[in-house]
PDB file of all heavy atoms in Angstrom:
ATOM      1  N   VAL A 975      63.988  88.680 103.099  1.00 98.00           N
ATOM      2  CA  VAL A 975      64.528  88.001 101.891  1.00 98.00           C
ATOM      3  C   VAL A 975      65.739  88.722 101.377  1.00 98.00           C
ATOM      4  O   VAL A 975      65.584  89.971 101.060  1.00 98.00           O
ATOM      5  CB  VAL A 975      63.384  87.862 100.849  1.00 98.00           C
ATOM      6  CG1 VAL A 975      64.045  87.120  99.615  1.00 98.00           C
ATOM      7  CG2 VAL A 975      62.259  86.968 101.409  1.00 98.00           C
ATOM      8  N   LEU A 976      66.845  88.079 101.253  1.00 98.00           N
ATOM      9  CA  LEU A 976      67.998  88.715 100.576  1.00 98.00           C
ATOM     10  C   LEU A 976      67.891  88.562  99.074  1.00 98.00           C
ATOM     11  O   LEU A 976      67.342  87.502  98.580  1.00 98.00           O
ATOM     12  CB  LEU A 976      69.298  87.952 100.954  1.00 98.00           C
ATOM     13  CG  LEU A 976      69.844  88.360 102.445  1.00 98.00           C
ATOM     14  CD1 LEU A 976      70.750  87.307 102.991  1.00 98.00           C
ATOM     15  CD2 LEU A 976      70.496  89.694 102.388  1.00 98.00           C
ATOM     16  N   VAL A 977      68.392  89.551  98.284  1.00 98.00           N
ATOM     17  CA  VAL A 977      68.378  89.423  96.811  1.00 98.00           C
ATOM     18  C   VAL A 977      69.960  89.496  96.492  1.00 98.00           C
ATOM     19  O   VAL A 977      70.550  90.497  96.784  1.00 98.00           O
ATOM     20  CB  VAL A 977      67.615  90.582  96.249  1.00 98.00           C
ATOM     21  CG1 VAL A 977      67.699  90.367  94.736  1.00 98.00           C
ATOM     22  CG2 VAL A 977      66.266  90.646  96.824  1.00 98.00           C
ATOM     23  N   ARG A 978      70.324  88.447  95.826  1.00 98.00           N
ATOM     24  CA  ARG A 978      71.843  88.383  95.581  1.00 98.00           C
ATOM     25  C   ARG A 978      72.232  89.538  94.731  1.00 98.00           C
ATOM     26  O   ARG A 978      71.587  89.979  93.784  1.00 98.00           O
ATOM     27  CB  ARG A 978      72.199  87.153  94.725  1.00 98.00           C
ATOM     28  CG  ARG A 978      73.617  86.900  94.604  1.00 98.00           C
ATOM     29  CD  ARG A 978      74.195  85.601  95.001  1.00 98.00           C
ATOM     30  NE  ARG A 978      73.414  84.485  94.761  1.00 98.00           N
ATOM     31  CZ  ARG A 978      73.177  83.499  95.784  1.00 98.00           C
ATOM     32  NH1 ARG A 978      73.852  83.585  96.929  1.00 98.00           N
ATOM     33  NH2 ARG A 978      72.360  82.402  95.450  1.00 98.00           N
ATOM     34  N   ARG A 979      73.446  90.153  95.122  1.00 98.00           N
ATOM     35  CA  ARG A 979      73.954  91.260  94.442  1.00 98.00           C
ATOM     36  C   ARG A 979      73.061  92.499  94.363  1.00 98.00           C
ATOM     37  O   ARG A 979      73.240  93.386  93.531  1.00 98.00           O
ATOM     38  CB  ARG A 979      74.322  90.902  92.970  1.00 98.00           C
ATOM     39  CG  ARG A 979      75.445  89.709  92.816  1.00 98.00           C
ATOM     40  CD  ARG A 979      75.480  89.183  91.401  1.00 98.00           C
ATOM     41  NE  ARG A 979      76.591  88.170  91.375  1.00 98.00           N
ATOM     42  CZ  ARG A 979      78.014  88.430  91.432  1.00 98.00           C
ATOM     43  NH1 ARG A 979      78.271  89.719  91.414  1.00 98.00           N
ATOM     44  NH2 ARG A 979      78.765  87.515  91.307  1.00 98.00           N
ATOM     45  N   HIS A 980      72.119  92.571  95.353  1.00 98.00           N
ATOM     46  CA  HIS A 980      71.261  93.731  95.306  1.00 98.00           C
ATOM     47  C   HIS A 980      70.929  94.281  96.748  1.00 98.00           C
ATOM     48  O   HIS A 980      71.166  95.410  96.958  1.00 98.00           O
ATOM     49  CB  HIS A 980      69.960  93.130  94.638  1.00 98.00           C
ATOM     50  CG  HIS A 980      68.840  94.092  94.497  1.00 98.00           C
ATOM     51  ND1 HIS A 980      67.838  93.976  93.636  1.00 98.00           N
ATOM     52  CD2 HIS A 980      68.477  95.230  95.255  1.00 98.00           C
ATOM     53  CE1 HIS A 980      66.999  94.999  93.795  1.00 98.00           C
ATOM     54  NE2 HIS A 980      67.368  95.728  94.799  1.00 98.00           N
ATOM     55  N   GLY A 981      70.486  93.421  97.718  1.00 98.00           N
ATOM     56  CA  GLY A 981      70.106  93.944  98.984  1.00 98.00           C
ATOM     57  C   GLY A 981      69.213  93.054  99.672  1.00 98.00           C
ATOM     58  O   GLY A 981      69.246  91.843  99.459  1.00 98.00           O
ATOM     59  N   VAL A 982      68.301  93.591 100.547  1.00 98.00           N
ATOM     60  CA  VAL A 982      67.479  92.809 101.373  1.00 98.00           C
ATOM     61  C   VAL A 982      66.124  93.525 101.468  1.00 98.00           C
ATOM     62  O   VAL A 982      65.957  94.715 101.443  1.00 98.00           O
ATOM     63  CB  VAL A 982      68.164  92.600 102.712  1.00 98.00           C
ATOM     64  CG1 VAL A 982      68.178  93.872 103.594  1.00 98.00           C
ATOM     65  CG2 VAL A 982      67.402  91.522 103.542  1.00 98.00           C
ATOM     66  N   TYR A 983      65.041  92.669 101.760  1.00 98.00           N
ATOM     67  CA  TYR A 983      63.736  93.224 102.094  1.00 98.00           C
ATOM     68  C   TYR A 983      63.456  92.610 103.488  1.00 98.00           C
ATOM     69  O   TYR A 983      63.574  91.343 103.664  1.00 98.00           O
ATOM     70  CB  TYR A 983      62.620  92.697 101.049  1.00 98.00           C
ATOM     71  CG  TYR A 983      62.663  93.437  99.784  1.00 98.00           C
ATOM     72  CD1 TYR A 983      63.487  93.060  98.819  1.00 98.00           C
ATOM     73  CD2 TYR A 983      61.829  94.572  99.635  1.00 98.00           C
ATOM     74  CE1 TYR A 983      63.476  93.805  97.556  1.00 98.00           C
ATOM     75  CE2 TYR A 983      61.849  95.212  98.521  1.00 98.00           C
ATOM     76  CZ  TYR A 983      62.611  95.010  97.449  1.00 98.00           C
ATOM     77  OH  TYR A 983      62.652  95.628  96.344  1.00 98.00           O
ATOM     78  N   VAL A 984      62.995  93.485 104.438  1.00 98.00           N
ATOM     79  CA  VAL A 984      62.694  93.105 105.792  1.00 98.00           C
ATOM     80  C   VAL A 984      61.383  93.685 106.186  1.00 98.00           C
ATOM     81  O   VAL A 984      61.134  94.867 105.771  1.00 98.00           O
ATOM     82  CB  VAL A 984      63.763  93.566 106.805  1.00 98.00           C
ATOM     83  CG1 VAL A 984      63.571  93.003 108.151  1.00 98.00           C
ATOM     84  CG2 VAL A 984      65.140  93.131 106.277  1.00 98.00           C
ATOM     85  N   TRP A 985      60.544  92.947 106.934  1.00 98.00           N
ATOM     86  CA  TRP A 985      59.167  93.486 107.243  1.00 98.00           C
ATOM     87  C   TRP A 985      58.946  93.304 108.782  1.00 98.00           C
ATOM     88  O   TRP A 985      59.652  92.519 109.358  1.00 98.00           O
ATOM     89  CB  TRP A 985      58.124  92.827 106.422  1.00 98.00           C
ATOM     90  CG  TRP A 985      58.204  91.313 106.522  1.00 98.00           C
ATOM     91  CD1 TRP A 985      57.701  90.567 107.503  1.00 98.00           C
ATOM     92  CD2 TRP A 985      58.868  90.507 105.659  1.00 98.00           C
ATOM     93  NE1 TRP A 985      58.093  89.232 107.308  1.00 98.00           N
ATOM     94  CE2 TRP A 985      58.793  89.176 106.092  1.00 98.00           C
ATOM     95  CE3 TRP A 985      59.581  90.663 104.410  1.00 98.00           C
ATOM     96  CZ2 TRP A 985      59.376  88.014 105.465  1.00 98.00           C
ATOM     97  CZ3 TRP A 985      60.148  89.583 103.811  1.00 98.00           C
ATOM     98  CH2 TRP A 985      60.125  88.236 104.331  1.00 98.00           C
ATOM     99  N   GLY A 986      57.900  93.947 109.207  1.00 98.00           N
ATOM    100  CA  GLY A 986      57.527  93.789 110.580  1.00 98.00           C
ATOM    101  C   GLY A 986      56.080  94.202 110.822  1.00 98.00           C
ATOM    102  O   GLY A 986      55.464  94.744 109.886  1.00 98.00           O
ATOM    103  N   ASN A 987      55.547  94.014 111.987  1.00 98.00           N
ATOM    104  CA  ASN A 987      54.123  94.347 112.347  1.00 98.00           C
ATOM    105  C   ASN A 987      53.967  95.876 112.150  1.00 98.00           C
ATOM    106  O   ASN A 987      52.845  96.326 111.761  1.00 98.00           O
ATOM    107  CB  ASN A 987      53.806  94.019 113.737  1.00 98.00           C
ATOM    108  CG  ASN A 987      53.558  92.526 113.864  1.00 98.00           C
ATOM    109  OD1 ASN A 987      53.001  91.845 113.005  1.00 98.00           O
ATOM    110  ND2 ASN A 987      54.144  91.834 114.931  1.00 98.00           N
ATOM    111  N   ASP A 988      54.908  96.645 112.445  1.00 98.00           N
ATOM    112  CA  ASP A 988      54.825  98.103 112.277  1.00 98.00           C
ATOM    113  C   ASP A 988      56.170  98.653 111.895  1.00 98.00           C
ATOM    114  O   ASP A 988      57.194  97.910 111.812  1.00 98.00           O
ATOM    115  CB  ASP A 988      54.254  98.776 113.552  1.00 98.00           C
ATOM    116  CG  ASP A 988      55.018  98.310 114.785  1.00 98.00           C
ATOM    117  OD1 ASP A 988      56.207  98.117 114.725  1.00 98.00           O
ATOM    118  OD2 ASP A 988      54.379  98.133 115.877  1.00 98.00           O
ATOM    119  N   TRP A 989      56.267  99.985 111.592  1.00 98.00           N
ATOM    120  CA  TRP A 989      57.589 100.463 111.207  1.00 98.00           C
ATOM    121  C   TRP A 989      58.641 100.327 112.277  1.00 98.00           C
ATOM    122  O   TRP A 989      59.816 100.094 111.984  1.00 98.00           O
ATOM    123  CB  TRP A 989      57.480 101.962 110.819  1.00 98.00           C
ATOM    124  CG  TRP A 989      57.138 102.879 111.907  1.00 98.00           C
ATOM    125  CD1 TRP A 989      55.967 103.376 112.288  1.00 98.00           C
ATOM    126  CD2 TRP A 989      58.139 103.623 112.701  1.00 98.00           C
ATOM    127  NE1 TRP A 989      56.068 104.236 113.328  1.00 98.00           N
ATOM    128  CE2 TRP A 989      57.407 104.453 113.602  1.00 98.00           C
ATOM    129  CE3 TRP A 989      59.543 103.574 112.774  1.00 98.00           C
ATOM    130  CZ2 TRP A 989      57.993 105.265 114.625  1.00 98.00           C
ATOM    131  CZ3 TRP A 989      60.120 104.411 113.791  1.00 98.00           C
ATOM    132  CH2 TRP A 989      59.483 105.193 114.655  1.00 98.00           C
ATOM    133  N   GLN A 990      58.271 100.458 113.586  1.00 97.00           N
ATOM    134  CA  GLN A 990      59.390 100.341 114.623  1.00 97.00           C
ATOM    135  C   GLN A 990      59.891  98.865 114.574  1.00 97.00           C
ATOM    136  O   GLN A 990      61.068  98.752 114.664  1.00 97.00           O
ATOM    137  CB  GLN A 990      58.743 100.464 116.026  1.00 97.00           C
ATOM    138  CG  GLN A 990      58.251 101.902 116.376  1.00 97.00           C
ATOM    139  CD  GLN A 990      56.838 102.099 116.111  1.00 97.00           C
ATOM    140  OE1 GLN A 990      56.180 101.468 115.239  1.00 97.00           O
ATOM    141  NE2 GLN A 990      56.215 102.983 116.932  1.00 97.00           N
ATOM    142  N   LYS A 991      59.081  97.877 114.402  1.00 98.00           N
ATOM    143  CA  LYS A 991      59.593  96.504 114.447  1.00 98.00           C
ATOM    144  C   LYS A 991      60.320  96.207 113.129  1.00 98.00           C
ATOM    145  O   LYS A 991      61.304  95.502 113.044  1.00 98.00           O
ATOM    146  CB  LYS A 991      58.425  95.524 114.670  1.00 98.00           C
ATOM    147  CG  LYS A 991      57.955  95.649 116.076  1.00 98.00           C
ATOM    148  CD  LYS A 991      56.993  94.394 116.444  1.00 98.00           C
ATOM    149  CE  LYS A 991      56.513  94.541 117.895  1.00 98.00           C
ATOM    150  NZ  LYS A 991      55.477  95.604 118.147  1.00 98.00           N
ATOM    151  N   ALA A 992      59.794  96.754 111.964  1.00 98.00           N
ATOM    152  CA  ALA A 992      60.508  96.553 110.699  1.00 98.00           C
ATOM    153  C   ALA A 992      61.880  97.178 110.762  1.00 98.00           C
ATOM    154  O   ALA A 992      62.875  96.603 110.337  1.00 98.00           O
ATOM    155  CB  ALA A 992      59.666  97.150 109.615  1.00 98.00           C
ATOM    156  N   LYS A 993      61.973  98.403 111.345  1.00 98.00           N
ATOM    157  CA  LYS A 993      63.226  99.083 111.380  1.00 98.00           C
ATOM    158  C   LYS A 993      64.160  98.298 112.279  1.00 98.00           C
ATOM    159  O   LYS A 993      65.449  98.077 112.065  1.00 98.00           O
ATOM    160  CB  LYS A 993      62.969 100.519 111.914  1.00 98.00           C
ATOM    161  CG  LYS A 993      64.311 101.274 112.217  1.00 98.00           C
ATOM    162  CD  LYS A 993      64.044 102.698 112.467  1.00 98.00           C
ATOM    163  CE  LYS A 993      65.211 103.487 113.090  1.00 98.00           C
ATOM    164  NZ  LYS A 993      65.594 102.941 114.393  1.00 98.00           N
TER     165      LYS A 993
END
Side-chain angles (χ1 to χ4, degrees):
Chain A
V975 174
L976 282 160
V977 185
R978 187 134 29 228
R979 300 171 176 279
H980 179 157
V982 69
Y983 284 86
V984 184
W985 54 83
N987 285 318
D988 50 35
W989 69 268
Q990 290 98 328
K991 291 192 178 72
K993 172 175 169 291

